[in-house]
Structures are given as C-alpha cells and as structure tokens.
C-alpha cells in the first residue's frame, strides 16, 4: 500500500483535496458528467466536510470537528468520524448509511457504495492510546453495497469486496494463494460491479 492506508498519507492542501474529490465524482459517476453536476453529489459534501473536520480533529479542535461531522451527517447521511484518515480521490457512491470509525485508515482511489461500514467489533470507554479498533483499507479497493469490514483488519490494495459481505479477517493482495473460509469467501479479487 502506498497511500493513506499504509500509514503516512501524502499531504496536500485541504482545498486541493476537496477539488480533487469533486473531479473524482465527475470521472467516476456517469450521472455527474460536469463539475456543476458533481456539486450536487451529496456524498461529496459529506467527504468535503470530513476533510476539514479531520484537520481540526488532528489539531485538537474536537468540538468544532464534531460540529462539522454532524453537519456532514445531516447533509449526506454518512457518519465519517473526524479521526478517520481517508486517502485521496475517494469515491463514495450513494453514500447514505456509510460509517467509517475513528481509527480507520482508507487508502487512495477507494470506492465505497452505500451502507458500507468500516467499524469496530466492540467498544471500550477507555481504549489505550494508539490502539487500532477499525480496518485499514489499501489503495484501489472497491467495497460493495452493504458490506461490513469490522475490527482491526487489513484489506490489501486491489481487493474487491462483494455486496453484503462480512469481513472479519485480513484480506491479502489479490492473486496470492490463500485458504478460503466462509468469511473470506465473501471477498472477490476480480473487478466486478457492486
């Protein structure tokens, strides 16, 4: 993984990143062929507010970050924790119901469809600092409608996760020989539509 999913994200200015996200909507959503059309793509609004909220969160402005997160949730129907790191050129299609938890890390060029959860497998009121409770998703990963990736698992770059899958274990890079079990069977390494 080379993008945000790997650890240290490549930093660009927040306005440039938001503009890049808008261009991603134009490039990947056939119903939004121009920028002015993409401005009406509600998941883009939620992602744009998340980009600003994340920067505030990292700088310790938790209340302001929380207010922007709430506004993003009301506008887009997505709950993107301001602590989550989302890489460049993310595309969230029909984002209603998307949930991304606080310690999640999402790589570059990732596609999420509605109802996707990148969540934890439990809760703790006082987690140890630095403990990862949410998934790390590599670059160029597609996660289909209603899929849930739960816990501190790692999804290697290039994976395609089928709609309504439940992923509870790490997924290695596509093409690697792995033993298939019922949970992993839900993942599909070949490109497919959600």
């Amino acid at each position: 993984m080379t993008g945000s999913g790997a650890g240290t994200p490549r930093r660009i200015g927040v306005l440039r990143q938001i503009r890049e996200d808008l261009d991603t909507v134009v490039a990947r959503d056939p119903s939004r062929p121009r920028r002015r059309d993409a401005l009406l793509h509600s998941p883009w609004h939620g992602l744009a507010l998340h980009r600003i909220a994340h920067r505030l969160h990292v700088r310790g402005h938790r209340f302001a970050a929380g207010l922007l997160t709430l506004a993003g949730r009301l506008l887009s129907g997505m709950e993107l924790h301001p602590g989550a790191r989302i890489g460049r050129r993310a595309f969230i299609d029909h984002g209603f119901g998307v949930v991304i938890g606080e310690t999640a890390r999402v790589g570059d060029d990732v596609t999420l469809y509605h109802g996707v959860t990148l969540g934890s497998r439990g809760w703790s009121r006082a987690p140890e600092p630095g403990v990862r409770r949410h998934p790390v998703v590599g670059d160029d990963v597609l996660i289909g409608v209603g899929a849930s990736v739960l816990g501190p698992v790692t999804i290697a770059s290039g994976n395609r996760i089928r709609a309504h899958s439940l992923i509870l274990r790490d997924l290695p890079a596509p093409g690697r020989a792995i033993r298939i079990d019922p949970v992993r069977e839900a993942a599909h390494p070949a490109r497919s539509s959600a």
Side-chain angles (χ1 to χ4, degrees), residues 78-99:
M78 302 185 305
E79 189 161 330
L80 310 178
H81 192 285
R85 283 197 324 225
I86 300 175
R88 296 177 64 183
R89 297 173 304 277
F91 180 64
I92 303 173
D93 196 19
H94 304 290
F96 200 83
V98 168
V99 176

Side-chain angles (χ1 to χ4, degrees), residues 63-149:
F63 186 75
L67 286 176
L68 284 177
T69 299
L70 177 61
R73 183 177 185 189
L74 294 172
L75 279 172
S76 68
M78 302 185 305
E79 189 161 330
L80 310 178
H81 192 285
R85 283 197 324 225
I86 300 175
R88 296 177 64 183
R89 297 173 304 277
F91 180 64
I92 303 173
D93 196 19
H94 304 290
F96 200 83
V98 168
V99 176
I100 301 178
E102 178 182 18
T103 62
R105 304 293 176 254
V106 178
D108 296 338
D109 303 301
V110 169
T111 299
L112 304 176
Y113 288 92
H114 66 276
V116 167
T117 298
L118 302 178
S120 69
R121 292 181 68 180
W123 61 275
S124 172
R125 290 190 101 15
E128 296 176 34
V131 171
R132 185 167 64 92
R133 303 180 319 277
H134 300 93
V136 168
V137 177
D139 297 335
D140 191 36
V141 171
L142 181 144
I143 303 179
V145 172
S148 294
V149 183

Side-chain angles (χ1 to χ4, degrees), residues 5-191:
T8 305
R10 292 183 290 259
R11 298 287 291 181
I12 63 171
V14 70
L15 293 178
R16 180 175 168 206
Q17 193 168 31
I18 291 169
R19 191 175 320 115
E20 189 176 68
D21 291 334
L22 186 64
D23 289 340
T24 300
V25 172
V26 172
R28 295 168 71 184
D29 187 343
S31 71
R32 310 285 183 186
R34 295 179 301 267
R35 270 190 175 179
R36 72 178 186 188
D37 299 322
L39 287 169
L40 301 175
H41 184 76
S42 65
W44 173 77
H45 297 144
L47 186 57
L49 288 171
H50 169 78
R51 301 286 191 203
I52 299 165
H54 177 72
R55 304 234 174 168
L56 290 169
H57 181 85
V58 168
R59 293 181 180 130
H61 303 290
R62 304 289 169 98
F63 186 75
L67 286 176
L68 284 177
T69 299
L70 177 61
R73 183 177 185 189
L74 294 172
L75 279 172
S76 68
M78 302 185 305
E79 189 161 330
L80 310 178
H81 192 285
R85 283 197 324 225
I86 300 175
R88 296 177 64 183
R89 297 173 304 277
F91 180 64
I92 303 173
D93 196 19
H94 304 290
F96 200 83
V98 168
V99 176
I100 301 178
E102 178 182 18
T103 62
R105 304 293 176 254
V106 178
D108 296 338
D109 303 301
V110 169
T111 299
L112 304 176
Y113 288 92
H114 66 276
V116 167
T117 298
L118 302 178
S120 69
R121 292 181 68 180
W123 61 275
S124 172
R125 290 190 101 15
E128 296 176 34
V131 171
R132 185 167 64 92
R133 303 180 319 277
H134 300 93
V136 168
V137 177
D139 297 335
D140 191 36
V141 171
L142 181 144
I143 303 179
V145 172
S148 294
V149 183
L150 303 177
V153 300
T154 300
I155 307 301
S157 295
N159 271 295
R160 303 295 180 255
I161 297 175
R162 291 180 181 162
H164 306 292
S165 297
L166 174 62
I167 307 296
L168 302 173
R169 297 188 181 147
D170 293 350
L171 289 179
R176 287 189 45 200
I178 59 170
R179 191 182 115 254
I180 303 294
D181 63 30
V183 173
R184 285 194 178 162
E185 195 172 294
H188 189 277
R191 290 193 182 263

